[in-house]
């Protein structure tokens, strides 16, 4: 169900687990990926070993599928929905969805990694210009600290994003799975030790 995609209990495997995809990603880091390519890779993988809705397994594929559902329901691209329904109401004027482009606003910080065998602890690889299209609705956004603060406040309170009853549903959606303890994952975000939100590294 859509809810199982949002709370990461669908059991659909993440395309990022595919060894062949990882090999291509880390060797062709500037490649543009389409959402359909990512879904094809994911849906060829074996599902997780649990009945949907009974366990938690974080999967970027869930978020890609949610993005496709948004496009199907609205008849618009995800980028247009974001520009119409999320960014302006929250006054997030410094946030962009690059849509396959690695043309980032200037100035911007540099990103580094040791993943994929790149770099060493003394000389990590600069990933700043790696194409973010592999994340699509699972993380292909560029923002500033100011805009992120605006979004965090809206996400935590629902103000500017959701009616009160929907925000209450989100706040009640956290479920603990797999012995997580002191937290859990809900509809599109997590709760740990009293803090709600969502981490990310893209």
């Amino acid at each position: 169900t859509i809810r199982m995609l949002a709370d990461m209990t669908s059991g659909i495997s993440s395309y990022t687990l595919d060894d062949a995809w990882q090999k291509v990603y880390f060797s062709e880091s500037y490649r543009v990926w389409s959402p359909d390519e990512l879904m094809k890779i994911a849906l060829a993988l074996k599902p997780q070993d649990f009945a949907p809705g009974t366990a938690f397994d974080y999967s970027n594929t869930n978020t890609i599928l949610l993005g496709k559902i948004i496009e199907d329901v609205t008849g618009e691209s995800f980028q247009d929905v974001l520009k119409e329904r999320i960014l302006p109401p929250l006054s997030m004027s410094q946030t962009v969805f690059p849509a396959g482009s690695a043309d980032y606003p200037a100035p911007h910080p540099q990103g580094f990694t040791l993943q994929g065998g790149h770099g060493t602890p003394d000389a990590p690889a600069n990933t700043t210009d790696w194409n973010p299209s592999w994340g699509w609705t699972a993380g292909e956004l560029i923002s500033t600290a100011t805009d992120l603060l605006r979004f965090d406040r809206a996400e935590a309170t629902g103000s500017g994003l959701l009616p009160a009853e929907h925000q209450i549903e989100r706040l009640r959606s956290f479920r603990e799975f797999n012995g997580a303890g002191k937290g859990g994952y809900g509809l599109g975000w997590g709760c740990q030790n009293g803090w709600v939100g969502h981490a990310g590294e893209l």
Side-chain angles (χ1 to χ4, degrees):
T1 65
I2 292 173
R3 187 182 186 100
M4 290 173 188
L5 297 175
D7 70 7
M8 299 290 168
T9 62
S10 73
I12 298 172
S13 294
S14 180
Y15 55 89
T16 57
L17 299 177
D18 183 71
D19 291 337
W21 178 84
Q22 289 183 31
K23 185 174 181 180
V24 173
Y25 172 69
F26 285 116
S27 62
E28 300 176 31
S29 303
Y30 302 96
R31 174 177 170 166
V32 176
W33 296 88
S34 74
D36 290 338
E37 284 180 301
L38 300 173
M39 286 196 309
K40 183 177 179 181
I41 293 165
L43 297 178
L45 295 172
K46 182 181 180 294
Q48 297 301 310
D49 191 21
F50 58 82
T54 64
F56 169 84
D57 183 71
Y58 194 90
S59 171
N60 281 358
T61 308
N62 289 329
T63 314
I64 300 293
L65 287 166
L66 288 170
K68 295 296 284 186
I69 290 169
I70 289 169
E71 292 191 331
D72 287 345
V73 169
T74 63
E76 299 181 78
S77 70
F78 178 76
Q79 295 94 306
D80 286 344
V81 172
L82 191 69
K83 285 188 282 189
E84 293 167 9
R85 302 185 188 204
I86 305 294
L87 302 182
L90 299 182
S91 300
M92 294 176 64
S93 60
Q94 299 175 327
T95 299
V96 296
F97 189 96
S101 167
D103 185 19
Y104 309 135
H108 56 262
Q110 303 294 295
F112 298 89
T113 194
L114 299 177
Q115 292 178 322
H118 290 274
T120 65
D122 292 329
N126 189 312
T127 61
T128 306
D129 295 325
W130 287 14
N131 197 292
S133 61
W134 68 271
W136 201 53
T137 48
E140 187 183 352
L141 280 172
I142 298 171
S143 193
T144 62
T146 302
D147 270 12
L148 287 174
L149 179 60
R150 288 191 179 101
F151 183 79
D152 286 346
R153 286 174 172 158
E155 183 178 43
T157 64
S159 178
L161 279 179
L162 296 171
E165 63 270 23
H166 294 164
Q167 183 66 4
I168 290 169
E169 174 67 15
R170 290 190 76 213
L171 288 166
R172 291 178 173 164
S173 68
F174 301 116
R175 293 194 290 167
E176 290 189 12
F177 285 114
N178 312 340
K182 294 188 179 178
Y185 200 83
L187 296 173
W189 61 344
C191 177
Q192 188 166 14
N193 297 320
W195 292 87
V196 295
H198 207 295
E201 61 182 23
L202 175 52

